[in-house]
Amino acid sequence: MTDARAMFVGATKYRGPRALVQLSRTWYPMVARMQTLRGYVWHTVYWEPPFTLGTLAFFASRDDLLSFARLPAHRTLMQWITRGTRNGTGGYIRLHLAPGEQPGATGATAAAGAHAETTGAAAADEPPGAASATEQPGPGGAGGGAP
């Protein structure tokens, strides 16, 4: 992962099997598109029984990661999961950035913030409607969203 300077970690607790089937219709094409984007490095998905799916994704830069977050398919998926609790009941996102990737960070400031979490600020960078309406505290603080 030496080429990665931005990491996304997130998970969503889905309502049940029906929600997972609906998710797959949008998710697989969206991931195929993500893998072709400039700056994409690697990703994996993890499962926590019974219906939680999480994602770890690495990008060359913060801008590359945010270019994925701004894809129309990603926005559609985020709107689908945050529309009430029919499809999902909670989730979180975290963005971790390497030194120098944080906006305005230089020198010692960048090194000190190397592992700083960007939670609420990430939502400001995404299109309206992309932030979770079901924000719940996750490990290390508040957050929202879906993988």
Side-chain angles (χ1 to χ4, degrees):
M1 298 301 140
T2 58
D3 295 335
R5 299 187 54 80
M7 178 178 75
F8 169 90
V9 181
T12 301
K13 183 177 179 182
Y14 293 93
R15 177 60 80 181
R18 180 178 290 156
L20 292 173
V21 169
Q22 288 177 314
L23 167 72
S24 69
R25 294 180 188 138
T26 303
W27 190 81
Y28 284 107
M30 183 184 71
V31 168
R33 174 71 175 109
M34 175 181 73
Q35 292 174 322
T36 68
L37 292 176
R38 179 184 55 90
Y40 167 81
V41 176
W42 180 82
H43 85 281
T44 192
V45 175
Y46 65 92
W47 173 61
E48 185 176 323
F51 302 115
T52 298
L53 292 178
T55 302
L56 297 160
F58 295 87
F59 292 83
S61 72
R62 175 184 181 270
D63 289 341
D64 294 331
L65 188 156
L66 292 177
S67 70
F68 166 72
R70 293 180 178 123
L71 286 177
H74 185 260
R75 180 179 179 166
T76 299
L77 183 61
M78 293 300 96
Q79 290 172 332
W80 174 79
I81 195 60
T82 60
R83 193 177 312 126
T85 58
R86 180 178 181 180
N87 301 310
T89 59
Y92 74 94
I93 62 169
R94 300 289 184 272
L95 304 181
H96 299 277
L97 306 172
E101 283 298 323
Q102 294 182 341
T106 58
T109 306
H115 299 287
E117 295 180 358
T118 306
T119 53
D125 289 330
E126 293 187 7
S132 174
T134 58
E135 286 189 355
Q136 295 185 4

